[in-house]
Amino acid sequence: MGQQATPVRTAGLGKAVGPGPTAVSGAVVLLPGGEEISARRPSPVRAAIALRSLSRRLARAGRTEGLAVHTVRYRYRGWNGSEAHLAADARWAADEVVRRYGDVPVCLVGVDMGGRAALRAGGHEAVNSVVALAPWLPEDDMAAPAEPVKQLVGRRVLIVHGTNDQQTDPELSFRFAARAKKVNREVCRFEVHSDGHGLSGHREEVGCLAVDFTLGALFGQHVSRPVEDALAAPPPIGLRMPLAAGFGRSLRR
């Protein structure tokens, strides 16, 4: 009996979150976390649970604007070095959004290793904005090329990181943002003081910030004053913007 061929894995796009809009005019692609190296399949249930609150908030806030929200199902759990599987799946997802909905703007929203995937895949022609929450970024290595930033030119970028994150180093996301800001003025970064990797201590504020930024980028809405200030401020001010407790209470979304 001949050896059975290894099946080819394909990425997937989860069904739209909540009642879909009657006409789609913009899309959010949610990118779950992952691992540095792993050939295992990720758990779609675990990914959906981790992003449930944010996905529902985005879908609810953007429904009247025609926003479709989908979560990516990766082929592999790991980034896997030069293969950069999660970034490749993010680009595939942006292609799939265009295939389904036509020429609509896309915002990539990633957490942890999904944040790295969102930033790396941000150069896709359909993507106009990127949100990276507690992104996993590699350590500086003189022997390896730095994490690229030029693909983000022309995109609006938001990075959010807890100052007490013990899993992904917030200083690395600051250094990345500083390099990105040199080639693209539309980059800002918020620090969530005393919060950890999951940003669970300020979940409400982080969710409001992500919605405010994303709807502004996709649909040209006015963003909150803190986001305006962070985008306009020179480094390091606009890259170490504190996320105030209670942010979003005055926003009517």
Side-chain angles (χ1 to χ4, degrees):
M1 191 176 196
Q3 186 175 0
Q4 203 170 27
T6 302
V8 177
R9 295 185 186 178
T10 56
L13 204 60
K15 66 179 182 179
V17 178
T22 54
V24 173
S25 54
V28 165
V29 171
L30 290 163
L31 301 163
E35 299 177 14
E36 191 171 357
I37 299 174
S38 176
R40 297 175 63 191
R41 277 192 178 277
S43 165
V45 174
R46 184 175 297 176
I49 291 173
L51 292 169
R52 181 178 295 165
S53 175
L54 181 59
S55 64
R56 289 176 174 175
R57 183 187 293 270
L58 284 162
R60 184 171 58 250
R63 189 165 296 128
T64 58
E65 297 289 342
L67 179 66
V69 179
H70 295 270
T71 300
V72 174
R73 296 193 298 267
Y74 299 131
R75 293 169 295 162
Y76 303 95
R77 190 172 298 186
W79 180 271
N80 300 325
S82 61
E83 296 290 341
H85 282 129
L86 306 191
D89 290 349
R91 285 188 285 267
W92 172 87
D95 282 338
E96 179 64 11
V97 165
V98 172
R99 186 189 71 80
R100 292 188 188 187
Y101 301 124
D103 186 19
V104 300
V106 175
C107 179
L108 300 179
V109 179
V111 299
D112 186 78
M113 192 67 78
R116 184 186 186 187
L119 293 165
R120 180 72 73 90
H124 189 285
E125 61 183 8
V127 173
N128 85 338
S129 49
V130 173
V131 176
L133 305 176
W136 187 100
L137 292 166
E139 296 279 353
D140 298 331
D141 185 351
M142 297 298 292
E147 192 72 7
V149 295
K150 290 184 178 179
Q151 74 278 7
L152 297 172
V153 172
R155 280 73 180 163
R156 184 171 280 192
V157 180
L158 167 68
I159 296 173
V160 185
H161 221 137
T163 58
N164 288 358
D165 193 331
Q166 299 299 310
Q167 295 185 49
T168 59
D169 188 349
E171 189 60 26
L172 293 178
S173 75
F174 170 75
R175 295 177 197 168
F176 177 91
R179 290 193 296 110
K181 189 79 169 180
K182 290 180 180 179
V183 299
N184 177 15
R185 295 180 61 186
E186 294 289 288
V187 174
C188 64
R189 177 178 174 275
F190 280 75
E191 293 186 335
V192 189
H193 290 289
S194 77
D195 217 340
H197 183 63
L199 299 168
S200 57
H202 298 80
R203 191 184 307 276
E204 182 71 17
E205 290 90 342
V206 172
C208 287
L209 176 63
V211 167
D212 179 54
F213 179 90
T214 301
L215 297 190
L218 288 177
F219 305 118
Q221 294 186 5
H222 289 296
V223 293
S224 63
R225 182 62 182 271
V227 172
E228 282 186 351
D229 290 347
L231 288 169
I237 299 170
L239 305 180
R240 293 197 184 276
M241 188 68 69
L243 182 60
F247 176 90
R249 289 176 185 168
S250 62
L251 300 179
R252 297 183 179 179
R253 294 291 191 203

